[in-house]
Amino acid sequence: ILLEAGKNLGAGTGGAFNIAISPVVKAWGFTEAEHHVPTQAELDTLLPLTDPDNVVLDKMTVFLEKEGMAVDLGGITKGYASDEVASLLKGKGVESAIVSLGGNVFGIGTKPNGDKWEVALANPLDANDYCGLISIEDKAVVTSGGYQRFFEENGKKYHHIIDPDTLLPGTFWRSVTIVCADSGLADALSTALFLLPLEEGQVLLEKCGAEAMWVDADGNHFYSPGFHALIRT
């Protein structure tokens, strides 16, 4: 189910979310004990291994058509798990709860007093600060950013969100936060929009019926039209 969801979400984001990116993430050392800045020659060699069309699903089996391929479901696993936990709780009659899995939060219903849940949005430029509070009801809030998993080499920082087109860490944003009713979708969208310019991200967002906040390297905030109604700073 998760592999199928990953492929479908990848197609829906125009390839910005890519479950076949694993060999490149490994080359950068984000799944290894030692980080490493790959050469362009190394990346060129890995490019043919990152086509999700070569991940073939057939009922209960998965076939990787090229030797050296691997899948990376880290971009949707927490979102999928959050949806499953929320579904389980609702099935048990729970009408008010908050599910938190790191940068992935799902608010079931409202607080017992009827108020909406409030989630603090991390400031990617200052670990001791936040960007504001967002109010949710039966919604997921998912943030992707390059400010937690990264390493430095020769004075330059490299984070773990890899662009499938360049095979380099994405450069458009410091963080992207998504709000929508589907936590798995929010997870994939936060990664995809992190790797897209604002205009392309807005188009994708509108197709999915979600809201977003972008934070750039200078700390400037950009919002989708409906996000203003959700946040207070």
Side-chain angles (χ1 to χ4, degrees):
I1 294 176
L2 201 53
L3 283 166
E4 185 177 10
K7 284 203 67 171
N8 290 338
L9 288 168
T13 60
F17 177 78
N18 185 339
I19 65 170
I21 199 67
S22 180
V24 181
V25 176
K26 182 177 180 180
W28 280 92
F30 287 108
T31 59
E32 306 299 313
E34 185 174 343
H35 293 122
H36 163 67
V37 178
T39 65
Q40 188 60 52
E42 289 178 89
L43 296 177
D44 290 343
T45 300
L46 294 172
L47 182 60
L49 306 180
T50 64
D51 186 349
D53 288 340
N54 292 327
V55 180
V56 181
L57 306 180
D58 181 17
K59 295 182 180 179
M60 300 298 293
T61 65
V62 56
F63 177 65
L64 306 180
E65 293 187 322
K66 295 186 178 181
E67 185 178 353
M69 289 187 70
V71 295
D72 182 353
L73 298 173
I76 59 169
T77 300
K78 284 198 294 184
Y80 176 82
S82 181
D83 283 335
E84 289 296 299
V85 171
S87 179
L88 176 64
L89 291 174
K90 290 178 181 178
K92 297 293 185 179
V94 174
E95 298 179 349
S96 177
I98 192 84
V99 178
S100 180
L101 302 176
N104 190 308
V105 176
F106 192 98
I108 299 174
T110 62
K111 295 179 183 179
N113 66 2
D115 291 343
K116 291 184 177 182
W117 297 103
E118 288 192 329
V119 179
L121 303 179
N123 182 345
L125 277 66
D126 185 349
N128 298 313
D129 192 17
Y130 61 94
C131 295
L133 294 173
I134 190 167
S135 299
I136 58 169
E137 177 181 353
D138 286 319
K139 290 285 193 302
V141 181
V142 177
T143 298
S144 287
Y147 54 93
Q148 291 184 321
R149 289 181 61 194
F150 66 89
F151 67 94
E152 293 188 33
E153 186 169 307
N154 296 324
K156 185 175 180 179
K157 290 184 178 181
Y158 301 91
H159 63 75
H160 72 292
I161 306 178
I162 304 299
D163 188 327
D165 291 330
T166 65
L167 306 189
L168 304 173
T171 58
F172 289 108
W173 309 105
R174 290 296 296 271
S175 72
V176 175
T177 297
I178 303 292
V179 180
C180 73
D182 184 323
S183 191
L185 173 60
D187 224 349
L189 281 176
S190 67
T191 299
L193 266 65
F194 188 92
L195 300 171
L196 295 172
L198 184 63
E199 296 78 10
E200 292 182 30
Q202 284 277 20
V203 171
L204 178 57
L205 203 64
E206 291 170 6
K207 292 179 180 178
C208 297
E211 302 294 343
M213 178 186 77
W214 297 258
V215 181
D216 69 13
D218 296 321
N220 299 308
H221 296 182
F222 304 85
Y223 305 100
S224 62
F227 204 92
H228 293 283
L230 305 174
I231 190 172
R232 63 183 178 87
T233 56

